[in-house]
Amino acid sequence: RSLEIFGNGIFSNKETSLDRLVVELEEKGQTNTFYYVKAVIMIAATTNSDWSFSSKDPISILDEKLQNISQDQFRLPILMQLAGLAYADLDDSAFDYLSEVATLSTQVNNQVAHFQAVTMQAYLHDIYDMNEEAEKYYRASIENANMLMNDYYPFLTEEEQFYFNSKWIQPLERSAFTFFLKLGGDNSSFSEELFNFRLRTKSLILENSARLRVLAEQSENEEVLNWYNELRQLKESLSMKQDDLTWEEKAEQVKIIQELEEKIQVRLGIDLPDAGQIKLTDIQSSLGKKEAAVEIVRLQKATGEYLTDSVSYLAFIATANEPIEAIEFTQPDMMENKGFDYYLRTIQLKVNDKLSYNWYWKEMSEQLSGYEKIYLSADGVFNGINLGALKNPDTDQYLYEEHTIIQLSSLRDLANRAEKQAIEANEAVFVGRPQYYLGVDGEVSDDRGESIADLPGTEKEITEITNQLVSQDLTFKNYIGEKALEGMVKQLNSPAILHIATHGYFDEDQVTEGQFSSPLLSAGLLLSGAGERMDAEGQDGILTAYEITGINLTDTDLVVLSACESGIGEHRDGQGIYGLSRAFFVAGAETVIASLWKVDDTATQKFMSLFYENWLQTNDVAASMSYARTALKEEYPAPYYWAAFVATGL
């Protein structure tokens, strides 16, 4: 009867019900049960009530009742509670409790409990300035985290992975990097360990999402294919109806989508490869003599759950033949606040930027001197800056003129890169100058922002580019005006090139509504019918990032988003920007070119024509971006015109 009372949650008399249950289970010898453990934990957690055990502190209650439990799997939750309470009080007894949890969790094969215990041991030794022991436990915790990601991520949805990362992985990363800085940042062995951990975690959720989509699309399992098609339809429906739904209704629809994703993930998860096999040595072996790799880390300093208000930025620099170097930026607050505002103002006002180079590059310049090509994985404020457009005050040259900077979602891409194939643009698709108001002539605009006005420059842009394709006997398909339909884009099947020239938007105010976070619903591209929210195929004319994730771009070499602010979105530490670019990567694109600010229609048209002119000859995105910048700079000297676009990918 007591089990029924506990299981049904019938506690009409809260002063005695849990106590009565505990006593009754003890009398019956049923202490090695879930119900006994749960009741004891609940009593210990509510010692401020009038219950009979309330005269004792929680640790005393748990310690006393622990003696009644003999089986390890039931002792473990009590010990975890004891360890947590002692740790929260920074009591010395936490060391013993955590050690016992670590041992016991290994015996019962509870990976999560073991990870928690080892991680809290690292935090505790760190807090007590027991640095040698702290480093040992941080290393052990990182090893455990890698195993957890291997075993758990394949069976979690993207949102669940994000939650797991936020709850467990990110606090460990913050604390381990903070500890590294406390040591002075000169421990080369630990530096390599942290770099490898960063390689493991950086943009991992993005990579897993892209891989899962490919596996689902290629699956021969009819049930998986049906689930995946249903998933695409639900995402499309949510995107179209979002303006008419409350955030509660959106959250409910997202829950249904996540349940469907989970079914697919569980069925296919065992096939996901281990990204953790790529390490520093793999990156170094992939680099040439004149090449370097830079990993930027944005860090909110912390030890465990004890967060500070202090932010730091680190740069890990890897080269082929030298030990990895770690550099801490000395003005992180300036970089994120006044410095970034200054950078944006100089861009928008088209005035000379005399300071940004010193904040965002100078401290790395000595270590990177002599390296011609630099692969960089950005984080934090670096996602909003075109580093190539920073001017070196000592040489009066822009950074892109001194180095070729190639931005990557993760440096893991270096270890996986394949030899570039010759361009075969027989499936190139160009979309531009959508007819936002079908059957109606709209006003003309000079920038590709979110106001829905006609953009004649986008048609000229596509005409000039495709004329170059014709001259090289490369075929393509153009979708101009009323043919630039949302439904058509959704039906694409891995074109070699996808170029979309239109208005883009990111609505920062709509990212979070109530408790519903929707960054991929807050970014999009406007296509035909967007002004009326309807096109000829019954779509709303707005292609959201959420919908883009369902397009098949598995073999697409290049996506060009010739639109305003197509490269911005919601920043999440270590996982990149949640916006349009991310959506196209999930869809399978290898390289995405997107803009960081509102772009001029005419200048953009010329930039894109110049880019393709060089790219069709060289098949080198980075070199072609530099070529277009240099050529356009002759006519438009200010970076506002030629530096808006950034390429991400190899």
Side-chain angles (χ1 to χ4, degrees):
R1 188 177 64 82
S2 296
L3 299 186
E4 291 177 0
I5 291 173
F6 186 81
N8 293 326
I10 303 171
F11 296 115
S12 57
N13 183 354
K14 287 191 175 182
E15 295 180 355
T16 60
S17 54
L18 281 175
D19 298 342
R20 188 171 69 249
L21 174 60
V22 168
V23 171
E24 187 174 333
L25 290 172
E26 289 173 349
E27 289 174 349
K28 292 182 176 181
Q30 297 177 351
T31 54
N32 288 296
T33 63
F34 164 80
Y35 300 103
Y36 184 77
V37 170
K38 190 69 173 178
V40 169
I41 290 174
M42 289 177 66
I43 289 172
T46 329
T47 54
N48 60 346
S49 70
D50 293 329
W51 298 4
S52 59
F53 290 143
S54 63
S55 59
K56 300 180 180 179
D57 64 86
I59 290 181
S60 298
I61 295 170
L62 293 168
D63 256 332
E64 177 185 321
K65 297 304 177 184
L66 182 64
Q67 310 312 311
N68 299 328
I69 305 172
S70 59
Q71 294 182 19
D72 289 345
Q73 68 265 36
F74 296 113
R75 289 177 60 83
L76 183 59
I78 301 290
L79 282 168
M80 290 178 67
Q81 292 293 316
L82 283 164
L85 289 168
Y87 169 80
D89 292 337
L90 298 181
D91 190 281
D92 288 349
S93 63
F95 288 103
D96 293 331
Y97 286 130
L98 288 169
S99 180
E100 192 169 355
V101 169
T103 301
L104 198 59
S105 58
T106 301
Q107 293 173 359
V108 301
N109 196 29
N110 189 323
Q111 286 180 273
V112 174
H114 187 75
F115 169 72
Q116 286 180 267
V118 173
T119 304
M120 290 171 69
Q121 283 175 308
Y123 298 160
L124 200 59
H125 285 90
D126 188 354
I127 291 168
Y128 275 83
D129 290 325
M130 302 167 68
N131 293 341
E132 186 175 339
E133 289 296 301
E135 183 178 335
K136 180 185 77 173
Y137 282 112
Y138 273 124
R139 289 177 182 268
S141 182
I142 288 170
E143 183 179 350
N144 274 272
N146 285 327
M147 289 190 293
L148 275 180
M149 286 185 283
N150 288 342
D151 293 344
Y152 280 74
Y153 270 31
F155 303 98
L156 301 177
T157 66
E158 180 172 339
E159 196 64 27
E160 288 169 340
Q161 288 180 34
F162 177 70
Y163 175 78
F164 187 97
N165 185 72
S166 300
K167 185 171 178 61
W168 302 115
I169 306 304
Q170 201 170 7
L172 172 59
E173 276 193 312
R174 282 196 299 251
S175 301
F177 280 109
T178 301
F179 175 72
F180 174 69
L181 292 177
K182 186 173 81 170
L183 295 181
D186 56 358
N187 185 327
S188 59
S189 173
F190 194 39
S191 180
E192 182 174 339
E193 184 94 15
L194 292 176
F195 180 81
N196 286 337
F197 190 38
R198 184 66 167 185
L199 274 179
R200 178 69 174 87
T201 61
K202 182 68 176 289
S203 298
L204 181 61
I205 299 174
L206 167 62
E207 188 172 304
N208 283 345
S209 297
R211 192 180 293 119
L212 176 67
R213 183 197 54 75
V214 172
L215 289 172
E217 289 179 345
Q218 296 177 349
S219 175
E220 296 180 359
N221 185 303
E222 187 174 345
E223 190 174 33
V224 168
L225 289 173
N226 289 336
W227 285 340
Y228 184 68
N229 288 331
E230 184 182 351
L231 181 66
R232 291 181 63 178
Q233 291 170 7
L234 286 171
K235 285 186 174 182
E236 182 175 327
S237 174
L238 177 57
S239 292
M240 289 183 64
K241 296 177 181 177
Q242 62 170 312
D243 289 345
D244 301 321
L245 299 175
T246 65
W247 70 262
E248 292 94 342
E249 291 170 329
K250 290 181 188 179
E252 183 60 32
Q253 285 208 23
V254 168
K255 182 181 178 182
I256 296 171
I257 288 171
Q258 289 173 351
E259 288 172 351
L260 200 55
E261 287 177 335
E262 189 168 16
K263 288 181 182 180
I264 299 171
Q265 191 90 350
V266 169
R267 185 64 57 87
L268 298 174
I270 55 174
D271 296 321
L272 293 181
D274 175 17
Q277 295 178 0
I278 297 174
K279 301 191 184 303
L280 171 63
T281 51
D282 300 303
I283 302 302
Q284 291 174 318
S285 64
S286 71
L287 294 170
K289 291 182 179 180
K290 293 292 185 179
E291 296 180 337
V294 178
E295 179 68 48
I296 301 292
V297 179
R298 181 193 186 275
L299 169 66
Q300 185 175 2
K301 289 186 175 180
T303 303
E305 70 276 20
Y306 301 108
L307 277 169
T308 71
D309 294 330
S310 178
V311 172
S312 286
Y313 276 87
L314 285 169
F316 286 86
I317 299 176
T319 56
N321 301 313
E322 299 294 331
I324 191 168
E325 291 192 60
I327 297 169
E328 183 180 10
F329 290 86
T330 56
Q331 299 185 72
D333 290 333
M334 175 66 75
M335 291 164 62
E336 285 211 332
N337 298 298
K338 292 182 179 179
F340 187 60
D341 290 341
Y342 170 84
Y343 166 79
L344 291 179
R345 283 200 308 273
T346 60
I347 291 291
Q348 297 300 326
L349 296 175
K350 308 174 186 64
V351 297
N352 191 24
D353 183 345
K354 300 178 180 180
L355 301 174
S356 295
Y357 177 93
N358 294 329
W359 293 324
Y360 300 106
W361 192 263
K362 186 174 183 179
E363 288 167 308
M364 297 187 289
S365 60
E366 182 178 344
Q367 285 77 6
L368 293 172
S369 177
Y371 290 97
E372 296 172 358
K373 187 174 288 187
I374 297 168
Y375 299 94
L376 185 138
S377 177
D379 199 13
V381 70
F382 283 85
N383 283 305
I385 291 173
N386 185 339
L387 291 169
L390 302 181
K391 181 175 278 191
N392 185 339
D394 296 329
T395 64
D396 202 36
Q397 283 190 310
Y398 288 102
L399 199 52
Y400 86 88
E401 298 172 305
E402 299 182 340
H403 306 277
T404 297
I405 301 174
I406 300 174
Q407 191 158 311
L408 304 175
S409 297
S410 167
L411 293 182
R412 286 191 304 274
D413 295 344
L414 284 174
N416 295 325
R417 62 177 163 175
E419 199 67 33
K420 283 280 188 181
Q421 302 297 313
I423 299 170
E424 296 180 2
N426 58 325
E427 279 299 321
V429 173
F430 292 84
V431 182
R433 200 179 185 180
Q435 193 167 338
Y436 304 115
Y437 298 91
L438 294 171
V440 179
D441 292 331
E443 61 178 302
V444 175
S445 174
D446 288 329
D447 81 55
R448 302 183 185 185
E450 58 189 86
S451 60
I452 309 179
D454 184 28
L455 294 171
T458 63
E459 182 173 3
K460 184 178 181 182
E461 173 182 317
I462 290 175
T463 299
E464 291 187 358
I465 294 169
T466 51
N467 283 341
Q468 296 178 40
L469 295 178
V470 169
S471 69
Q472 299 196 30
D473 295 324
L474 297 173
T475 58
F476 55 88
K477 294 178 181 178
N478 280 0
Y479 297 91
I480 305 293
E482 63 181 17
K483 294 181 180 179
L485 295 168
E486 177 191 0
M488 176 277 300
V489 177
K490 289 178 181 177
Q491 296 303 313
L492 292 175
N493 186 22
S494 292
I497 302 167
L498 174 59
H499 183 109
I500 304 178
T502 183
H503 289 295
Y505 72 90
F506 175 69
D507 190 348
E508 190 172 1
D509 295 334
Q510 296 299 317
V511 170
T512 300
E513 303 173 358
Q515 300 174 13
F516 177 69
S517 180
S518 55
L520 294 187
L521 285 170
S522 303
L525 298 167
L526 305 185
L527 298 172
S528 289
E532 302 163 320
R533 301 300 302 273
M534 187 60 63
D535 67 24
E537 295 188 355
Q539 305 286 330
D540 64 0
I542 299 176
L543 183 65
T544 67
Y546 204 52
E547 292 171 296
I548 289 165
T549 60
I551 301 174
N552 180 15
L553 301 177
T554 304
D555 297 316
T556 298
D557 295 325
L558 177 66
V559 170
V560 179
L561 304 179
S562 187
C564 279
E565 300 178 321
S566 52
I568 67 174
E570 180 185 287
H571 168 259
R572 293 181 175 179
D573 283 354
Q575 296 301 323
I577 296 293
Y578 278 63
L580 283 167
S581 293
R582 179 187 184 86
F584 279 101
F585 280 122
V586 171
E590 182 175 331
T591 301
V592 177
I593 295 177
S595 63
L596 298 177
W597 52 79
K598 293 185 184 298
V599 296
D600 178 83
D601 191 34
T602 302
T604 298
Q605 166 254 308
K606 293 181 179 181
F607 178 91
M608 289 299 170
S609 182
L610 289 164
F611 166 79
Y612 278 95
E613 175 187 323
N614 190 267
W615 185 62
L616 290 169
Q617 298 293 330
T618 66
N619 199 22
D620 187 325
V621 171
S624 301
M625 294 290 282
S626 294
Y627 172 83
R629 287 167 184 161
T630 299
L632 192 62
K633 186 154 56 70
E634 292 296 316
E635 183 176 358
Y636 298 94
Y640 169 81
Y641 295 101
W642 52 262
F645 289 93
V646 175
T648 303
L650 291 168

